[in-house]
Amino acid sequence: MKVLGIETSCDETGIAVYDTVKGLLAHTLYSQIELHAEYGGVVPELASRDHIRRVTPLIDEVLQQSGCQKSDIEGIAYTAGPGLMGALMVGAAIGRTLAWTWNIPSIGVNHMEGHLLAPMLDSKQPSFPFLALLVSGGHSLIVDVKQVGDYEIIGESLDDAVGEAFDKTAKLLDLGYPGGPVISKLAETGDASAYKFPRPMTNRPGLDMSFSGLKTFVLNTWQDSDKSDTAKANIAAAFQEAIVDTLLIKCKRAIKQTSYPQLVMAGGVSANKQLREKLAEYSQANNLELFYPKTQFCTDNGAMIAYAGALRLMAGERDDSSFQVRPRWAISELNKIKV
Ligand code: KG4
Ligand code: ZN
């Protein structure tokens, strides 16, 4: 089955064609980073308007790249949530209209399920069940993944998501948007041991997390510093190390709790080099298999939506006649499907 995927939940327009026999045929992405950079974060109304401009030309481009005609597409998957209401509406409206016009089924995909399954776009795939660390701009979840659609959240952030903590910290330090890539780049030139940052919620049991206190710690540390470039780089390094250490401690606990031999990490923050290195070290030392998506599929993209949608369409799921998007939609609310 050939499925067209449409991702418009936030500030990236991602389009892809996934073939359940041949794999990913083509994908393309338009990032709105420049549009939002001057505001230090995503402006929802600007995001929606830009998605409207981009989606259809990108669909034409991807169809051409994939060598498919419109008539070859057998299903459409679009992100139905969680995300920004207006941005989701654009993808959903275009996806559903095309499906109706082309007389094929459509399915609204959960964005976090897309992230979670993104490592499956690779030839080396984890097998169920496994443990997943899902870290993005909006969510930080530790998930017991029993089967496609059968997800138990066993740990989550009680306040800021990890990516959000990177973004807010970058804004505080006047480093630009999005914060993850700029902080991790600056951290390479800094000395993390120059400051001692807390590892929030690691001194009590459990898998929940909290990251909002770290940005206050960054602010206080920056204000007490000599405000030099060296101080900024050292703070970036200490902040990143605190996040990575905290995530590692929580993953170790979750692995102990579940006894799963496979660990998957996904979502925008899984592109972080230090996080990958630390989890790889830990996995190797403990005989675990570690999986993460290719860097381009860590952050938002259409391929993961086409893939997750293809699984659900193949299992017989389809949109009903009601049109809805869900700005809030927990991954634990999804239906289990047989693959
Ligand atoms: O998954 P994603 O593209 O969008 C959401 O679903 O939220 O994640 C975006 C988040 C942003 O907060 C961004 O700062 C963060 O992922 N991010 C990173 C890195 N690349 C992107 N965080 C840390 N290190 C990175 N290299
Ligand atoms: Zn995302």
Side-chain angles (χ1 to χ4, degrees):
M1 182 180 213
K2 290 187 180 61
V3 176
L4 176 72
I6 303 174
E7 155 61 35
T8 63
S9 68
C10 191
D11 59 346
E12 247 112 29
T13 319
I15 311 287
V17 177
Y18 185 83
D19 182 337
T20 50
V21 178
K22 294 183 182 156
L24 186 64
L25 298 185
H27 67 98
T28 186
L29 187 84
Y30 180 84
S31 172
Q32 303 177 353
I33 285 175
E34 274 179 33
L35 181 69
H36 303 290
E38 65 173 297
Y39 305 99
V42 179
V43 183
E45 183 56 27
L46 293 182
S48 319
R49 289 185 207 180
D50 205 55
H51 285 307
I52 293 173
R53 279 192 285 270
R54 309 289 168 195
V55 174
T56 35
L58 288 178
I59 291 177
D60 287 341
E61 187 185 315
V62 143
L63 284 177
Q64 204 173 14
Q65 271 178 28
S66 67
C68 291
Q69 306 294 321
K70 287 173 188 161
S71 55
D72 296 328
I73 301 297
E74 297 160 279
I76 295 188
Y78 59 88
T79 306
L84 301 170
M85 173 65 106
L88 291 168
M89 297 265 287
V90 176
I94 296 176
R96 292 196 62 147
T97 308
L98 282 179
W100 186 77
T101 317
W102 296 349
N103 201 21
I104 54 174
S106 66
I107 185 79
V109 170
N110 180 291
H111 181 82
M112 297 312 291
E113 179 174 60
H115 275 305
L116 176 64
L117 300 177
M120 306 282 192
L121 289 163
D122 252 327
S123 49
K124 184 182 158 237
Q125 303 182 341
S127 48
F128 298 95
F130 56 80
L131 185 77
L133 173 68
L134 261 182
V135 273
S136 70
H139 296 80
S140 306
L141 307 171
I142 298 177
V143 189
D144 177 346
V145 182
K146 296 168 186 139
Q147 190 39 268
V148 177
D150 192 355
Y151 310 126
E152 187 188 347
I153 298 171
I154 56 174
E156 62 190 316
S157 175
L158 304 177
D159 41 55
D160 291 354
V162 187
E164 190 179 358
F166 270 100
D167 296 338
K168 287 179 173 171
T169 295
K171 201 170 177 181
L172 280 176
L173 297 175
D174 206 14
L175 290 172
Y177 174 85
V182 278
I183 289 190
S184 67
K185 187 149 186 281
L186 184 61
E188 284 175 17
T189 65
D191 172 12
S193 66
Y195 301 103
K196 184 81 197 118
F197 274 56
R199 274 58 174 154
M201 290 184 71
T202 53
N203 57 2
R204 50 179 129 152
L207 300 174
D208 285 339
M209 301 162 270
S210 162
F211 297 103
S212 73
L214 276 177
K215 67 173 186 287
T216 316
F217 203 88
V218 166
L219 183 63
N220 293 338
T221 310
W222 174 241
Q223 278 169 350
D224 292 344
S225 77
D226 61 6
K227 299 215 167 71
S228 62
D229 286 350
T230 309
K232 207 181 255 193
N234 291 347
I235 290 173
F239 166 80
Q240 176 175 258
E241 196 179 80
I243 297 257
V244 170
D245 258 7
T246 305
L247 292 175
L248 181 63
I249 291 167
K250 297 290 175 174
C251 281
K252 283 182 185 170
R253 270 187 208 168
I255 286 285
K256 213 166 167 191
Q257 187 176 311
T258 57
S259 305
Y260 287 158
Q262 300 171 103
L263 174 61
V264 165
M265 66 164 168
V269 183
S270 68
N272 187 273
K273 209 169 132 213
Q274 195 181 22
L275 181 62
R276 288 179 172 212
E277 284 169 6
K278 283 280 164 73
L279 284 183
E281 243 170 58
Y282 161 68
S283 301
Q284 209 171 13
N286 291 277
N287 256 333
L288 301 171
E289 263 193 294
L290 176 67
F291 300 84
Y292 44 75
K294 286 199 179 87
T295 313
Q296 61 184 333
F297 300 136
C298 287
T299 42
D300 292 349
N301 64 86
M304 67 184 195
I305 301 304
Y307 178 77
L311 291 186
R312 290 194 170 270
L313 288 165
M314 289 288 282
E317 276 193 21
R318 269 121 184 75
D319 281 334
D320 59 22
S321 56
S322 66
F323 179 94
Q324 65 163 344
V325 293
R326 301 180 62 177
R328 297 173 76 85
W329 186 9
I331 196 170
S332 50
E333 293 171 35
L334 299 180
N335 295 329
K336 176 179 169 177
I337 58 165
K338 257 203 130 39
V339 283

